[in-house]
Amino acid sequence: MHTLAVLIKKDFRLMFTNKNMLIMILLPIGFAVLYQTIFGDVKEAGMPRNFVLTLCELLNLSAIPLTGLAMMVAEEKEKNTLRVLMLSDVSALEYIFSKIISVLVLMELITIVIFFITATQLSYLPMFLLVTTVTSISMLLFGAVVGLLSKDQMSTSTLSTPLMILFLIPPMFQNMNEVIDKIASIVPTTKMMAIINDAMNGMSILSQEHLLDFGIILAWILLGVVTFAMMYRKKGFDN
């Protein structure tokens, strides 16, 4: 636990000194302020009530775990910090757990900021945090996979962009095209949006209608675990 605490402290310092990471941190918050200014009265703008909130949270869940976490691993590969850690009796499990916990805490903080910027009713916050946290676990696992496969920070964007498109675009445009709609039906972020929107309209998140939604989210978490385990066995963090 002491080792993990030291690693988490190091990771937080790394997150706030990396310029690319800072941009990703500020991006969903900046969009929340911008969209709330433009679509402040969502009824007059003809937008769904939770449009700004869910849109900015989609950006938060798609960008930071997939690119940010991978970028942190890649940066330590470039600076040989990772090799020093591995030679200092830091296990791979401790290393990746510290990254996942650090990024998850950061995402939670951004989620809370977005929530209050959009002036959503406070009683929905526990539900919102629960659903977004469960969904973000799969994103973090795939972000760890991208970190494994990335040789440097430049390659992280190349590898993470297809995943970002998969998790970000289908939920936003699912009603515009039949193909996109079919893809959206199996994407965890789409199910997250459905649960949140229904919950904010009075439906329980534990209702029978959402059992399949949670099942799909959990399936993606399992897929992330299996993919990470396979890639780690094949490549490891540092050859």
Side-chain angles (χ1 to χ4, degrees):
M1 290 301 296
H2 174 71
T3 302
L4 194 60
V6 172
L7 288 171
I8 291 172
K9 184 178 179 180
K10 174 190 67 67
D11 290 336
F12 268 100
R13 186 165 58 249
L14 181 65
M15 284 190 291
F16 290 100
T17 55
N18 186 309
K19 293 180 180 179
N20 293 323
M21 192 69 179
L22 282 174
I23 292 172
M24 281 183 286
I25 292 171
L26 295 174
L27 200 60
I29 297 175
F31 271 106
V33 173
L34 177 64
Y35 280 121
Q36 188 66 14
T37 302
I38 297 174
F39 302 118
D41 192 339
V42 291
K43 290 183 179 179
E44 290 186 8
M47 298 291 179
R49 187 178 62 172
N50 310 313
F51 172 77
V52 177
L53 177 64
T54 52
L55 179 64
C56 294
E57 187 60 22
L58 271 177
L59 186 59
N60 181 27
L61 263 64
S62 300
I64 295 179
L66 293 173
T67 303
L69 191 152
M71 197 174 290
M72 291 167 65
V73 176
E75 182 180 359
E76 292 191 333
K77 285 182 180 179
E78 288 180 347
K79 296 180 178 179
N80 289 323
T81 311
L82 177 56
R83 184 163 299 179
V84 172
L85 290 171
M86 292 297 153
L87 294 174
S88 302
D89 293 330
V90 173
S91 70
L93 194 61
E94 289 171 334
Y95 177 79
I96 196 60
F97 265 17
S98 72
K99 289 284 185 292
I100 289 176
I101 292 171
S102 301
V103 176
L104 180 60
V105 170
L106 176 66
M107 291 170 62
E108 296 291 317
L109 293 173
I110 294 172
T111 296
I112 293 171
V113 172
I114 292 171
F115 189 90
F116 283 105
I117 288 174
T118 56
T120 308
Q121 190 175 329
L122 187 59
S123 60
Y124 293 128
L125 181 58
M127 173 278 301
F128 188 70
L129 285 174
L130 174 63
V131 177
T132 56
T133 299
V134 172
T135 308
S136 67
I137 293 173
S138 61
M139 314 291 177
L140 288 163
L141 290 166
F142 282 102
V145 171
V146 174
L148 282 175
L149 299 176
S150 300
K151 294 181 179 180
D152 50 41
Q153 292 187 72
M154 291 294 292
S155 61
T156 57
S157 58
T158 304
L159 294 172
S160 63
T161 298
L163 287 171
M164 285 181 61
I165 293 173
L166 174 64
F167 292 134
L168 182 62
I169 301 301
M172 294 173 61
F173 301 103
Q174 59 180 319
N175 297 322
M176 297 182 64
N177 181 283
E178 186 177 347
V179 175
I180 296 177
D181 187 57
K182 288 181 179 179
I183 296 173
S185 66
I186 59 170
V187 173
T189 44
T190 306
K191 302 307 178 183
M192 176 197 75
M193 287 180 62
I195 295 169
I196 290 172
N197 287 328
D198 286 345
M200 289 186 174
N201 287 315
M203 183 183 294
S204 171
I205 63 171
L206 300 177
S207 62
Q208 188 174 357
E209 289 82 352
H210 293 311
L211 289 179
L212 178 60
D213 295 337
F214 275 113
I216 290 174
I217 294 172
L218 292 175
W220 276 92
I221 293 174
L222 180 61
L223 179 62
V225 170
V226 172
T227 305
F228 177 79
M230 290 175 59
M231 290 298 102
Y232 180 74
R233 287 181 182 179
K234 184 176 181 180
K235 294 185 65 69
F237 278 112
D238 186 10
N239 296 326

